[in-house]
Amino acid sequence: MKIKKFAAGLAIAGLALGVGVSVPATATAATPVTITIWTFGDVIEPNLIKQYKLIHPEVTLSIKKSDLDPLNGTNMITACTSKQGPDIAAVEVSYAGYWRSYPKCFTDLRTMKTSDANVNADKGTDKNGNPVDVTYIDSTGKKLTVGTVAANLSATSIKPNYLPWRWEQGVGYDDSVIGIPTDVGGLEVAFRTDLMVKAGLVTAAQVKNGTARDVLSKKWPTWSKFIEVGKQYMAKLSAADKKAGKGFIDNVGTIYAAVLNQGTEKYYRNNGTDQGQLIYKTNKNIKTAWDTTLNAHKAAIGTRIGQFSSDWNIGMNKGTFATMLAPAWMMDYIKQQAPDTKGKWDIASLPGGGGNQGGTQLTIPSYAKNKQAAWDFIAWYLAPEQQLQVFRTYGLFPSTKSIYGDSSVKDFKDPFFNNAPVGKIYSTGITKLKPIFEGKLQRGIDQAFGAGLGRVVSGKKNEKTKKPWTSAESWAQSIADIDKLTR
Amino acid sequence: MSSTAVNDSPLIDKKGGRPKTSPSPWKPKKNKKEREDFPGLRSLNGKWGYLFVAPFIVMFIIFGMFPVLYSTVIAFYEFDPLAGAGGLSLEGQTFVGFENFIYLLQDDRLYTAIGNTFDIWFWSTFPQMVISIGLAAVLRNRFLKAKTFWRTILLVPNITSVLAVAIVFGQLFGREFGIINWVLGLFGVDNIDFVEDPLASHIAIATMITWRWAGYNALIFLASMLAIPDELYESASLDGASAWQQFRYVTLPGLRNTITFTLIVGTIGGLQVFAEPLTLAGTTDGGSTHQLLTLTMFLYDSAFGASSKWGYGAAVGIIITIIVLIVSLVNFLVTRKLASGEAK
Amino acid sequence: MTTLEAKPPVIKLPRRRRPKWQKVGLGGYIALTVMALLSMFPFYWMLIVASNGTEEVSKIPPTMIPGPRFFTVIENVYKVVDFNVALMNTVIVGFTVAVAQVLFSALSGFAFAKLNFKARRGLILFVIGTMMLPSQLGIIPLYMLVSGFGWIDTLNALIVPALVTAFGVFWMRQVIDAQVPNEMLEAASIDGAGVLRIYWSIVLPIISQSSFVLGLFSFLATWNDFLWPNLVLQSPGSFTVQVAVQQLKASYFIDYALNLGGAFMATAPLLLLFVFVGRRLVSGVMDGAVKG
């Protein structure tokens, strides 16, 4: 008997626990709403959330962060297949191709219309004319009025604000709009002025008067020139520096994606079909990107450090490498990881002109429970005004081309980067880019070619030949791996 | 099965919990066939057994067996989680028969994964065993001060999550600025790439596993050592055996069953190594030559990695199961041979 | 025994001489100290990085003394995620799972060890067989199942599938087999006690120490689990500690101080718990060892 009672008690306790946790927020007169968001990193920025709370006090944002792969892979797949999910999910560009092929998992944002809640918030009243206080004081103590969002906006009506090639990354195969772009990861070259001076590539005076970046940009209009400059740099290094593993660029592997993204096609050709046509075997761009990377490797201009490793952070501080290919969002990374190097960095333009790496779309999964609230938030959060703020605080580059001409972008100079006009440099690069058709298995193909380069660059032994991997062997292996992936 | 065999071996019986001289007619006889592997009490109403195991069996069938069996079904499909009707429905999925398996047997990643898994198992098992037995030998000493303290502190690594310490190990193993390379550098060793180099990366994983389990196994060996009768040492020392000889001819033979036991447990655990290589490699595919791809990672990568081929992942899972069964069978046969050899 | 020489003599000589135990040499203590330091080092390292900030530990040789920033980092952790809620959730799940596993496992383990019923042998084989399956295999269907029950984003998703494990049953079977003498059961049975009564007042008390250890191990496993919780928990109110720690990761980089601060906070309660139960855990591990 005792056991039975106890077991029953336990069952009830378990039930109560479960229920206690799963009870949704009770609806009150003010109809509070909780928007659940799946994201990674700082895609959803805390200061802006505070501002949104001012114009939408009824909204609570419940945020869950995961690593990119589990988030955009496992978690979103299992959510969609079991017909549930968050109100908003962040989809990174590398997964854009995959999710574009499953539009049924997302709400077509062309069908959404922003509500009229708080339409007049920026004028100091809500929609009924009652006064609201929307003054936000930022961390520096500066006061600003939180912008509002107009009513009846659909994805179609906000489309003209955004960079066309960037917008395409959030369009589903059936032409539905599944995601709105956040920032754009324009790619340029970040370099250490002090190390460049030491190597005699620029003079201290040029650094001081701010022409060093132009001098360097002119030295490397193409990738082969870039590698040449790298060789010159390496020639000036002392034997001790070389032994300590110093190099011109942090990691030559990054060149691959940079070159590839400068083309018009990657692994898929837009042949008018939804899926596109796989062209990873025939697209010459890929081989060019591959060969350029391995040329840089042969020229021995890179360090052996992997990006985003703990070594990398340390190397950034110690001046182990003089350059890195830096997407706009990486500027903030450098500031955070190497604050002591303030002023020693500068930004030059990318060889071959313009590049892109990274970026995210905000989506509303089709099984979201609070679609309206989610759309109101997205439309506000990704509107030009808010993107501008994020740019000012974090350097994330806006995907809304309508503000590139704004003086606070155009004339923005970053003291951390030797007062480089980063706004101008990055906006010039990204407007040169063309849309690239993103296919379903993009991510896997990227990884397979990346692994192929890794095999050669790390000097690993090929088990079949008992010798280090050659470029040709590794290329063939990558193609074979991709054949497996795409079968 | 294998563990039962260990339990039934004569050595364990000698010092088991049961009273040595029992008048009970139910005392299990040593002959296995006679006792039908039943150590219990026949006079109790056995029917209660069904009621007692029912909660476990029911729960286990729902949450343990069903998912695994369902995966077995998926393995015969080209299962795209997002293509069909969703949920557990097979509607809209393509039945492909044994295609996943045929393809898998031709997939060199499978053999790489098997090789890696056994290599990591090797490097994490044998050095660890030496360390554990060595520690146990020191812990066994009667004159050791603060016994409980030492025993307890050695168990600390075992209670923490792999995830929490993985970041730490990642830093320690850093190629350019990691402490381990710095220490090696003091001895004139060139920097080692503990992620990309196949052997070094396996040793790095093995180190993480050894760190976690060496203390735990030391306690297991200690318990086994404490069970070796003092008389053996007495007579050995009378015969003038040195400390090393006592260890070699008394302690080690006494540990044989425990060594077998830890090997078996280690093999099954070793076949499921997952979190350590995943965190060190940083990707589910285990690095540029899949140098860190273990069997369970291969399963995870196939089902959840870039391709999301759930049917293929399920097929990998079934192959893993078969490998585990084969290894367990080998374990079982070896153990039985050892045990019967001893009885003679 | 491989060495016949080492077997005790058949006729015992009437002498009580203890074997000569050599004292623990310096080498022994050094070995133990090194192992103890290595065991504690990762935790100490978490503390160092968290309290010094990321830049400090970039030095070679690295800083080895805790710095002043520890509480700032802890404060920052709380800014990102409500750690208390996560702690509370983890304790609820861990405790429920531990208690349930002990009860269910002991119940089945008792039946498998001491009760004679027809399906017994077959079921034991079934239990042992399933112990060898890789757990990742069933994760997809399990998710759909749990989702079908409507448990996504609730603690039920963590608790219910973990209520029973094959390992727990197997373990308990071994423990009860080894620790509960048949004579005792028989005596009780003759005195007229029913099976239930025997289970409750004889078996459970005898195996209390082992139950505690099994419970502790399942508590630890629940505490440290990440893959499954990260899949089924979706909002901060239901996070467990390991999922909470994950929230500290920023986009493309790791703030080591913040992350290791979080890792330290996720580990500290276990270390504290260990101070109190470490001894019992040690004896549990050693008990288990002798019995195989």
Side-chain angles (χ1 to χ4, degrees):
Chain A
M1 275 319 283
K2 265 186 194 164
I3 307 175
K4 270 186 194 158
K5 263 187 198 160
F6 189 73
L10 192 75
I12 291 166
L15 221 62
L17 284 174
V19 172
V21 171
S22 57
V23 159
T26 28
T28 66
T31 56
V33 55
T34 300
I35 306 177
T36 51
I37 303 179
W38 288 2
T39 179
F40 59 94
D42 287 328
V43 173
I44 304 296
E45 197 277 315
N47 288 313
L48 282 179
I49 294 177
K50 285 181 200 145
Q51 296 179 25
Y52 192 67
K53 289 282 287 180
L54 290 177
I55 57 168
H56 280 279
E58 80 285 4
V59 169
T60 308
L61 295 170
S62 158
I63 294 173
K64 183 195 177 189
K65 288 188 195 178
S66 305
D67 274 347
L68 181 59
D69 287 308
L71 169 73
N72 280 178
T74 329
N75 292 11
M76 280 182 64
I77 292 172
T78 39
C80 181
T81 188
S82 59
K83 303 196 196 305
Q84 41 171 301
D87 297 317
I88 295 174
V91 173
E92 215 262 352
V93 165
S94 49
Y95 278 92
Y98 183 82
W99 287 110
R100 288 178 67 223
S101 62
Y102 295 108
K104 70 164 185 179
C105 291
F106 301 94
T107 309
D108 184 352
L109 300 178
R110 292 175 303 181
T111 65
M112 299 300 297
K113 293 256 192 287
T114 49
S115 73
D116 63 351
N118 299 308
V119 275
N120 290 321
D122 55 344
K123 299 189 181 73
T125 61
D126 65 14
K127 62 174 176 174
N128 301 323
N130 302 317
V132 287
D133 182 13
V134 289
T135 318
Y136 179 75
I137 300 165
D138 72 7
S139 53
T140 61
K142 214 171 77 183
K143 276 188 185 178
L144 58 99
T145 303
V146 178
T148 186
V149 62
N152 282 322
L153 291 178
S154 72
T156 317
S157 43
I158 62 173
K159 182 179 172 184
N161 290 338
Y162 295 82
L163 277 175
W165 64 267
R166 190 69 184 80
W167 182 264
E168 283 303 313
Q169 294 174 325
V171 176
Y173 281 174
D174 61 357
D175 297 331
S176 61
V177 175
I178 61 173
I180 308 294
T182 60
D183 65 313
V184 42
L187 193 64
E188 305 295 344
V189 180
F191 66 94
R192 281 280 293 264
T193 51
D194 52 337
L195 299 178
M196 290 294 184
V197 170
K198 211 172 139 201
L201 291 166
V202 293
T203 64
Q206 286 167 333
V207 171
K208 213 160 184 194
N209 67 20
T211 53
R213 64 187 76 97
D214 300 324
V215 173
L216 285 174
S217 301
K218 286 207 186 83
K219 275 184 199 277
W220 59 55
T222 63
W223 286 101
S224 55
K225 289 276 166 57
F226 181 77
I227 294 170
E228 283 309 312
V229 176
K231 281 186 187 162
Q232 291 167 25
Y233 179 89
M234 296 305 288
K236 289 283 167 61
L237 283 184
S238 68
D241 278 348
K242 276 188 189 154
K243 187 153 187 302
K246 295 199 174 179
F248 175 63
I249 183 171
D250 58 342
N251 189 310
V252 293
T254 56
I255 295 175
Y256 172 77
V259 177
L260 193 57
N261 281 330
Q262 287 174 335
T264 50
E265 284 176 334
K266 275 157 70 172
Y267 312 125
Y268 290 82
R269 170 164 298 157
N270 188 357
N271 62 351
T273 64
D274 286 349
Q275 289 78 20
Q277 178 196 355
L278 274 166
I279 52 165
Y280 62 91
K281 285 182 190 167
T282 52
N283 184 2
K284 293 221 168 57
N285 266 345
I286 305 174
K287 197 70 182 24
T288 308
W290 173 284
D291 288 340
T292 310
T293 308
L294 291 183
N295 286 342
H297 167 63
K298 261 183 239 146
I301 60 170
T303 73
R304 299 170 299 191
I305 296 172
Q307 286 201 324
F308 308 106
S309 64
S310 66
D311 277 351
W312 194 52
N313 300 331
I314 300 171
M316 214 178 281
N317 277 291
K318 295 170 77 105
T320 308
F321 38 82
T323 61
M324 48 205 265
L325 306 187
W329 47 261
M330 205 185 271
M331 292 193 286
D332 186 49
Y333 185 94
I334 301 172
K335 285 179 200 167
Q336 298 220 15
Q337 293 295 325
D340 295 344
T341 59
K342 182 172 180 188
K344 290 182 186 165
W345 292 92
D346 204 329
I347 307 280
S349 57
L350 192 73
N356 177 53
Q357 190 187 326
T360 303
Q361 276 84 241
L362 292 185
T363 68
I364 303 180
S366 44
Y367 302 104
K369 290 180 193 80
N370 301 302
K371 291 187 181 180
Q372 186 57 51
W375 176 243
D376 281 347
F377 174 75
I378 290 178
W380 177 84
Y381 188 77
L382 298 180
E385 297 78 12
Q386 277 63 248
Q387 291 212 20
L388 194 57
Q389 253 195 71
V390 175
F391 171 71
R392 283 197 203 118
T393 337
Y394 295 99
L396 299 189
F397 210 81
S399 57
T400 44
K401 66 177 181 349
S402 52
I403 51 174
Y404 293 173
D406 190 296
S407 65
S408 54
V409 173
K410 203 172 59 177
D411 304 332
F412 182 74
K413 293 193 168 76
D414 195 330
F416 193 97
F417 292 89
N418 192 25
N419 284 315
V422 291
K424 202 173 122 232
I425 296 174
Y426 277 95
S427 59
T428 314
I430 51 184
T431 36
K432 283 183 195 157
L433 293 178
K434 295 141 218 115
I436 292 180
F437 186 88
E438 308 272 348
K440 181 175 168 185
L441 297 170
Q442 192 105 335
R443 173 86 171 165
I445 300 175
D446 260 332
Q447 284 174 349
F449 279 122
L453 289 167
R455 282 190 289 267
V456 181
V457 169
S458 63
K460 277 201 214 175
K461 213 166 64 179
N462 183 344
E463 287 304 319
K464 281 174 196 141
T465 62
K466 303 287 170 206
K467 278 185 217 146
W469 284 89
T470 65
S471 167
E473 285 163 9
S474 189
W475 173 268
Q477 180 65 42
S478 291
I479 296 285
D481 286 345
I482 299 165
D483 287 344
K484 273 177 212 155
L485 187 74
T486 55
R487 83 191 152 95
Chain B
M1 264 330 280
S2 37
S3 298
T4 326
V6 172
N7 189 44
D8 289 338
S9 73
L11 184 82
I12 305 280
D13 264 3
K14 259 184 233 163
K15 56 186 167 48
R18 285 171 227 128
K20 272 173 192 147
T21 48
S22 162
S24 163
W26 292 280
K27 167 148 173 70
K29 297 198 176 89
K30 286 215 172 124
N31 189 320
K32 263 192 206 162
K33 273 179 190 149
E34 262 178 56
R35 55 177 273 217
E36 289 172 38
D37 197 28
F38 177 60
L41 203 59
R42 285 177 200 282
S43 65
L44 290 180
N45 183 353
K47 295 250 164 56
W48 280 92
Y50 292 105
L51 189 72
F52 278 30
V53 298
F56 163 71
I57 296 288
V58 170
M59 293 289 287
F60 193 70
I61 285 176
I62 300 175
F63 295 104
M65 284 310 290
F66 168 75
V68 172
L69 287 179
Y70 188 80
S71 285
T72 316
V73 176
I74 289 182
F76 293 92
Y77 282 81
E78 193 191 307
F79 196 94
D80 180 343
L82 300 176
L88 289 167
S89 166
L90 288 172
E91 201 187 315
Q93 307 293 355
T94 324
F95 181 81
V96 292
F98 282 94
E99 198 184 281
N100 283 329
F101 293 93
I102 294 167
Y103 198 83
L104 179 57
L105 291 175
Q106 296 165 0
D107 191 338
D108 46 7
R109 285 177 300 174
L110 175 67
Y111 304 101
T112 309
I114 292 175
N116 290 341
T117 308
F118 279 93
D119 204 32
I120 290 172
W121 171 80
F122 177 85
W123 286 109
S124 60
T125 302
F126 295 100
Q128 185 193 138
M129 196 160 279
V130 174
I131 294 172
S132 297
I133 294 179
L135 284 175
V138 179
L139 286 172
R140 188 206 197 285
N141 196 301
R142 293 205 177 166
F143 297 115
L144 181 71
K145 302 233 164 58
K147 265 188 194 122
T148 321
F149 169 77
W150 295 117
R151 289 179 188 181
T152 315
I153 203 160
L154 288 180
L155 203 55
V156 167
N158 203 245
I159 64 165
T160 52
S161 84
V162 178
L163 217 65
V165 292
I167 311 175
V168 177
F169 273 101
Q171 283 187 320
L172 301 184
F173 279 117
R175 172 164 181 165
E176 301 297 326
F177 306 110
I179 296 183
I180 291 171
N181 265 322
W182 172 63
V183 173
L184 289 176
L186 297 180
F187 297 98
V189 181
D190 269 347
N191 286 11
I192 298 169
D193 191 332
F194 282 106
V195 179
E196 276 295 316
D197 184 73
L199 180 62
S201 65
H202 292 179
I203 290 176
I205 299 293
T207 309
M208 291 165 75
I209 297 172
T210 304
W211 177 79
R212 169 168 291 269
W213 290 102
Y216 180 93
N217 280 331
L219 291 181
I220 297 213
F221 284 121
L222 173 63
S224 181
M225 280 183 196
L226 290 173
I228 298 173
D230 278 354
E231 291 83 21
L232 296 184
Y233 289 98
E234 236 171 275
S235 51
S237 86
L238 277 180
D239 290 345
S242 69
W244 167 250
Q245 282 169 324
Q246 290 187 22
F247 178 75
R248 170 69 188 79
Y249 294 107
V250 182
T251 311
L252 270 189
L255 288 183
R256 206 171 59 174
N257 280 288
T258 314
I259 290 175
T260 319
F261 171 74
T262 44
L263 269 181
I264 290 168
V265 174
T267 316
I268 294 178
L271 282 168
Q272 305 199 351
V273 168
F274 178 70
E276 289 95 347
L278 182 68
T279 41
L280 190 67
T283 52
T284 51
D285 67 357
S288 66
T289 44
H290 306 302
Q291 72 274 8
L292 281 172
L293 188 75
T294 61
L295 279 167
T296 35
M297 263 175 86
F298 184 34
L299 183 160
Y300 194 79
D301 185 49
S302 307
F304 302 114
S307 57
S308 280
K309 295 184 192 304
W310 287 13
Y312 199 59
V316 177
I318 288 169
I319 296 286
I320 296 178
T321 310
I322 292 171
I323 293 174
V324 174
L325 286 178
I326 292 172
V327 170
S328 305
L329 191 71
V330 171
N331 272 336
F332 172 67
L333 293 176
V334 170
T335 319
R336 203 170 61 167
K337 188 134 191 248
L338 282 177
S340 66
E342 211 166 89
K344 270 168 205 166
Chain C
M1 299 286 129
T2 41
T3 47
L4 288 167
E5 305 87 3
K7 280 207 166 178
V10 183
I11 306 157
K12 274 201 179 174
L13 295 172
R15 65 178 168 223
R16 309 283 323 149
R17 222 182 109 186
R18 306 227 48 95
K20 268 191 264 171
W21 290 102
Q22 302 214 332
K23 289 209 170 163
V24 186
L26 192 60
Y29 281 111
I30 290 177
L32 285 179
T33 310
V34 167
M35 281 306 288
L37 288 179
L38 287 177
S39 297
M40 295 307 290
F41 182 74
F43 310 113
Y44 187 62
W45 183 252
M46 288 175 195
L47 194 66
I48 290 176
V49 177
S51 59
N52 281 303
T54 307
E55 317 87 58
E56 279 296 305
V57 289
S58 308
K59 291 174 187 161
I60 290 275
T63 312
M64 278 296 162
I65 306 158
R69 292 194 48 223
F70 185 69
F71 289 102
T72 324
V73 166
I74 299 300
E75 223 174 280
N76 288 341
V77 169
Y78 272 94
K79 270 183 204 157
V80 178
V81 61
D82 191 340
F83 216 79
N84 293 343
V85 170
L87 272 177
M88 184 72 192
N89 285 337
T90 316
V91 169
I92 291 173
V93 174
F95 190 74
T96 318
V97 167
V99 170
Q101 266 195 28
V102 167
L103 281 181
F104 285 128
S105 302
L107 206 59
S108 307
F110 172 59
F112 283 135
K114 299 294 184 190
L115 300 178
N116 193 21
F117 55 103
K118 247 191 190 156
R120 195 188 67 93
R121 216 182 135 77
L123 286 175
I124 291 179
L125 281 177
F126 164 81
V127 170
I128 293 170
T130 48
M131 270 166 64
M132 294 168 183
L133 300 173
S135 58
Q136 287 89 348
L137 182 56
I139 203 165
I140 301 160
L142 186 61
Y143 181 93
M144 293 173 181
L145 199 65
V146 163
S147 149
F149 283 120
W151 292 339
I152 295 300
D153 203 25
T154 72
L155 297 186
N156 277 346
L158 304 188
I159 294 173
V160 182
L163 287 178
V164 300
T165 60
F167 170 77
V169 172
F170 179 72
W171 205 75
M172 273 300 182
R173 191 200 93 98
Q174 300 296 91
V175 163
I176 292 173
D177 179 20
Q179 296 183 3
V180 181
N182 284 339
E183 294 73 21
M184 225 160 151
L185 303 180
E186 198 200 350
S189 174
I190 290 167
D191 287 350
V195 177
L196 258 181
R197 175 83 193 266
I198 288 178
Y199 169 73
W200 192 253
S201 26
I202 296 180
V203 177
L204 278 188
I206 292 180
I207 59 165
S208 63
Q209 166 69 15
S210 302
S211 304
F212 180 78
V213 173
L214 176 68
L216 208 55
F217 271 121
S218 48
F219 183 84
L220 292 175
T222 314
W223 186 286
N224 290 326
D225 195 12
F226 172 70
L227 212 60
W228 178 247
N230 190 43
L231 198 58
V232 293
L233 302 181
Q234 301 181 344
S235 51
S238 64
F239 286 169
T240 58
V241 168
Q242 301 297 341
V243 183
V245 170
Q246 181 74 10
Q247 305 308 308
L248 305 172
K249 277 196 180 175
S251 51
Y252 294 95
F253 68 94
I254 300 175
D255 178 342
Y256 283 100
L258 189 66
N259 268 270
L260 289 179
F264 184 80
M265 286 170 68
T267 315
L270 293 187
L271 290 177
L272 196 68
L273 177 73
F274 194 76
V275 171
F276 295 106
V277 300
R279 288 179 71 149
R280 296 181 72 176
L281 207 56
V282 167
S283 53
V285 169
M286 288 176 61
D287 280 355
V290 181
K291 272 96 197 175

